[in-house]
C-alpha cells in the first residue's frame, strides 16, 4: 500500500544545544505555514528534542520573536 502522508523533514542532525529561543531561523523551520508547530511524526526528531523545540517556540512567541498566527491584518 502506497503511503500518502507528508514527507518528513528529517531534522535528525538538530543538536539539543543548538535549540534556543533566540535562534529564530531554526525555529521557523519547525513551524508550518499556518504558524502551527510541526508534530514529531513529521519533523523526525526525537521526543526530547521535540519538547525542547516546542518550549523554545512558545518562549519566542511570548517575546514577540515569532508570530502566534499569520491571519491578522494590520491597518
Amino acid at each position: 500500500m502506497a503511503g500518502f502522508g507528508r514527507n518528513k523533514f528529517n531534522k535528525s542532525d538538530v543538536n539539543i544545544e543548538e535549540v534556543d529561543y533566540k535562534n529564530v531561523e531554526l525555529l521557523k523551520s519547525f513551524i508550518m505555514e499556518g504558524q502551527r508547530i510541526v508534530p514529531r511524526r513529521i519533523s523526525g526528531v526525537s521526543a526530547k528534542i521535540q519538547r525542547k523545540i516546542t518550549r523554545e517556540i512558545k518562549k519566542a512567541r511570548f517575546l514577540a520573536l515569532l508570530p502566534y498566527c499569520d491571519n491578522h491584518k494590520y491597518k
Side-chain angles (χ1 to χ4, degrees):
M1 192 170 161
F4 292 102
R6 296 180 184 213
N7 293 333
K8 291 191 176 188
F9 292 139
N10 195 6
K11 300 279 186 184
S12 60
D13 59 338
V14 174
N15 194 358
I16 197 154
E17 287 85 23
E18 295 174 359
V19 179
D20 190 25
Y21 71 94
K22 295 174 277 190
N23 192 352
V24 178
E25 295 303 318
L26 176 69
L27 296 178
K28 280 183 182 178
S29 67
F30 288 98
I31 295 179
M32 290 191 244
E33 57 191 38
Q35 301 304 322
R36 294 182 57 196
I37 299 173
V38 176
R40 179 177 167 236
R41 68 178 189 275
I42 297 173
S43 64
V45 296
S46 67
K48 185 177 180 180
I49 295 176
Q50 180 70 27
R51 286 192 301 269
K52 175 83 171 169
I53 289 168
T54 302
R55 193 177 315 121
E56 297 301 316
I57 287 174
K58 290 177 181 181
K59 201 181 298 185
R61 284 176 173 171
F62 180 75
L63 294 171
L65 299 174
L66 290 173
Y68 280 99
C69 60
D70 62 346
N71 59 1
H72 291 293
K73 305 292 185 216
Y74 297 105
K75 294 181 179 181

